[in-house]
Amino acid sequence: MTRWSGYYLHTTREVPSDAEVVSHQLMARAGMIKKLAAGIYTYLPFGWRSIAKLSAIVRREMDAAGAVELVMPSIQPAELWQESGRWQRYGKELLRMKDRHDREFCYGPTHEEVITDFVRRDVKSYRQLPFNLYQIQTKFRDEIRPRFGLMRGREFLMKDAYSFSATEESLDRVYEAMRNAYCRIFEACGLAYTVVEADTGTIGGSSSHEFMVTAATGESAVVHCPACGYGANQEKAERGEWTRPPAEPPAALEKVATPGKKTIEEVASFLALPKEKLVKTLVYNTEQGLVVALVRGDREINPVKLQNALSGVDHLELASEERIERELGLPTGFVGPVGLDEGVRILADRSVAGLDDFACGANEADHHLIHVHWQRDVRLAEFADLVLVVEGDPCPRCGSPLGLSRGIEVGHIFKLGTKYSEAMKCEFTDEAGGNRPMIMGCYGLGIGRTVAAAIEQGHDADGIVWPLPLAPFSVLVVGLSPNDPVAMAAAESLVAELEGRGVDVLFDDRDERPGVKFKDADLIGLPVRAVVGGKSFAAGQAELSLRHDRERISVPLAEALPKLLELIDRLR
Ligand code: ATP
Ligand code: MG
């Protein structure tokens, strides 16, 4: 029997000063987590129960989908990361360390290298494929801005799975099985979520989906089409065709003085032109040298799309003023595509393809060009979809206006293809006796982040409102009169009866005033509550309620058990 008096559950009214989102505030106040250092938390017993319940759901669905559990080391040798090429590429999120022999290691932020290394040593033949291995384990990523408690920690729990196949069709089948398993997991948790297309980022690969729990505080922007169901995260979202403005008779190119006017806003107002008639010129630093990107003045470049369009570029950042001056000999703020050095690669978003009378920087300090005309004035750029999609843009599938909302990315699945198996020579012999790299997939799910997301979706002004499947306990039995042994004995036997029926119960047997007990009950948010004691007990009754509507029902004590079982059933 879990008695609160002997449990370790300390609620507090104090909100940690760094707790910006409600899930972080409530997890701290409800005694679920305790911060040790930035982004590093202890899972206290009450929080760990929720984590354990989610883990059990995840295991059940992974096993049902044919995945097999194992646990890999969290400390990983640098050599494997050098083989895959990520030792250089991963950057500062990778926590690197040395052992006493000066050998380099990292704390695993993900496990592609480790798994590919042992699979290549064990598996040789197409007959041993496919398989899918998963673990639930601690990861470390030295996040630039750890925040929101478990939502973006540095040390955090992830379920990660890796599949190995002989053919693309086999990968497609495993991927589909994982996608369905993820849907069942988030449904089983009682969460509102969407599945969206995602960019494959530094992990690489051909196709990827994210699972987003809808929440206003989510860090991810999600684009969706209410008409056809297209969904993508904003990094990935494509924009449908631009309607071309009507062709304008080309006016003569003209250079105008725009002293000190550098930003689009300044130039637009100075020239009395709408921002749509300006072309914004951005200079990026890449390992292939400087790259110029063009977008319509009222829109933003999506750096992820630009990076993908450049292919082979791993790092992209806006070039500094000094670098632009030094390498292009041009003043920042006045750069434009007309007459730009032939050696510089120019990519243009499709938004500017239809503009035939636009203004842009003149490549001369304090000057802009107006009446610029493609072909006549500018060497042809490479056109691509580079724009950051915004609300109302046309859907790339059906053309209807797109919506934009926020979400918490709780799961992410990738078709990796042969990226790691080629780099690390993880090969098998096919039916014809030839050697081929295995075809991989990887499937991540944030355990702590999902629990936090459940609280973002389930709370009110007084505390957490748990969905039953993730609640640390299903029922709270409140012993309202700690000094009345008869009432406490009745409460205790109700707890025992519930436990006898397989229900997990927290028994509030603390020597506290009713007001404290009720406040705490609301804060910790267990779905079903039974109050035994006080006036109602004197009348032979127990008071039952559900956390989400708090409607109280009085029942004779003898009927409390069946009624509670019925209430629990209703929440399932
Ligand atoms: P994000 O874009 O939020 O940083 P990611 O794309 O880096 O996420 P993945 O590498 O796909 O994340 O990891 C798989 C899952 O692990 C994510 O979907 C998320 O649920 C979880 N996760 C990733 N980073 C963190 C973190 N810092 N804290 C908690 N959970 C995380
Ligand atoms: Mg990340």
Side-chain angles (χ1 to χ4, degrees), residues 51-373:
I51 299 272
K53 283 200 174 175
L54 173 60
S55 302
I57 294 171
V58 169
R59 287 196 170 95
R60 183 185 76 207
E61 294 303 336
M62 292 304 289
D63 293 347
V68 184
E69 187 171 5
L70 84 172
V71 178
M72 290 178 260
S74 47
I75 306 289
Q76 309 181 2
E79 290 79 48
L80 291 181
W81 286 73
Q82 280 152 357
E83 253 190 271
S84 73
R86 284 207 287 189
W87 189 254
Q88 297 75 17
R89 277 208 308 274
Y90 212 92
K92 289 193 168 164
E93 267 189 32
L94 190 65
L95 181 66
R96 297 154 209 252
M97 60 193 103
K98 281 185 179 163
D99 70 4
R100 63 167 75 202
H101 304 293
D102 244 14
R103 285 188 283 248
E104 288 190 292
F105 288 84
C106 65
Y107 197 113
T110 176
H111 277 71
E112 285 80 9
E113 281 80 0
V114 172
I115 199 160
T116 307
D117 174 57
F118 75 76
V119 167
R120 70 181 164 183
R121 290 185 278 150
D122 283 341
V123 179
K124 305 286 177 211
S125 158
Y126 71 93
R127 281 192 229 97
Q128 296 163 298
L129 297 170
F131 57 87
N132 187 6
L133 300 175
Y134 78 94
Q135 63 178 349
I136 294 180
Q137 199 228 26
T138 300
K139 303 272 186 267
F140 195 96
R141 294 182 183 179
D142 205 351
E143 297 275 355
I144 188 162
R145 237 193 117 195
R147 56 185 181 153
F148 302 162
L150 298 192
M151 201 98 87
R152 184 168 295 284
R154 291 198 294 167
E155 182 175 308
F156 61 97
L157 278 171
M158 194 201 288
K159 186 286 300 173
D160 45 329
Y162 306 86
S163 70
F164 293 79
S165 289
T167 62
E168 291 288 346
E169 298 71 53
S170 161
L171 170 62
D172 290 347
R173 278 194 295 276
V174 183
Y175 189 85
E176 210 39 43
M178 282 297 103
R179 189 186 151 119
N180 291 333
Y182 273 45
C183 291
R184 282 195 296 273
I185 290 167
F186 297 120
E187 264 149 40
C189 294
L191 295 170
Y193 71 98
T194 52
V195 191
V196 301
E197 292 178 17
D199 185 68
T200 45
T202 47
I203 293 196
S206 59
S207 161
S208 163
H209 287 87
E210 283 173 350
F211 291 75
M212 298 281 190
V213 165
T214 33
T217 51
E219 287 186 281
S220 306
V222 184
V223 170
H224 57 91
C225 175
C228 75
Y230 169 78
N233 74 17
Q234 200 181 19
E235 279 185 349
K236 161 87 179 178
E238 301 155 42
R239 189 196 185 279
E241 283 302 315
W242 294 83
T243 40
R244 280 176 175 266
E248 296 185 44
L253 183 69
E254 206 180 306
K255 182 157 73 182
V256 293
T258 48
K261 310 291 178 212
K262 291 188 171 188
T263 67
I264 287 288
E265 283 72 23
E266 289 167 350
V267 177
S269 87
F270 186 78
L271 298 176
L273 284 172
K275 285 199 272 183
E276 299 91 89
K277 300 216 67 172
L278 265 54
V279 164
K280 206 190 287 189
T281 307
L282 296 155
V283 185
Y284 288 88
N285 222 347
T286 76
E287 58 266 48
Q288 299 175 356
L290 292 183
V291 167
V292 165
L294 307 178
V295 68
R296 214 170 70 181
D298 60 329
R299 301 299 300 258
E300 301 299 327
I301 287 276
N302 176 345
V304 174
K305 283 190 190 172
L306 176 61
Q307 183 168 339
N308 291 341
L310 287 166
S311 81
V313 164
D314 286 323
H315 293 290
L316 184 82
E317 59 187 7
L318 281 171
S320 64
E321 287 194 18
E322 299 81 68
R323 178 120 193 236
I324 297 172
E325 300 239 20
R326 180 160 36 95
E327 290 198 23
L328 299 178
L330 295 176
T332 320
F334 301 96
V335 180
V338 180
L340 203 61
D341 188 304
E342 288 289 326
V344 181
R345 193 163 165 193
I346 304 178
L347 275 84
D349 178 64
R350 294 198 304 242
S351 58
V352 301
L355 290 181
D356 261 339
D357 182 353
F358 62 87
C360 60
N363 293 328
E364 183 183 323
D366 295 330
H367 285 83
H368 278 78
L369 296 173
I370 57 174
H371 304 311
V372 183
H373 187 271

Side-chain angles (χ1 to χ4, degrees), residues 529-546:
R529 184 187 309 175
V531 179
V532 180
K535 279 200 199 104
S536 72
F537 178 72
Q541 307 257 308
E543 283 197 346
L544 315 184
S545 60
L546 295 181

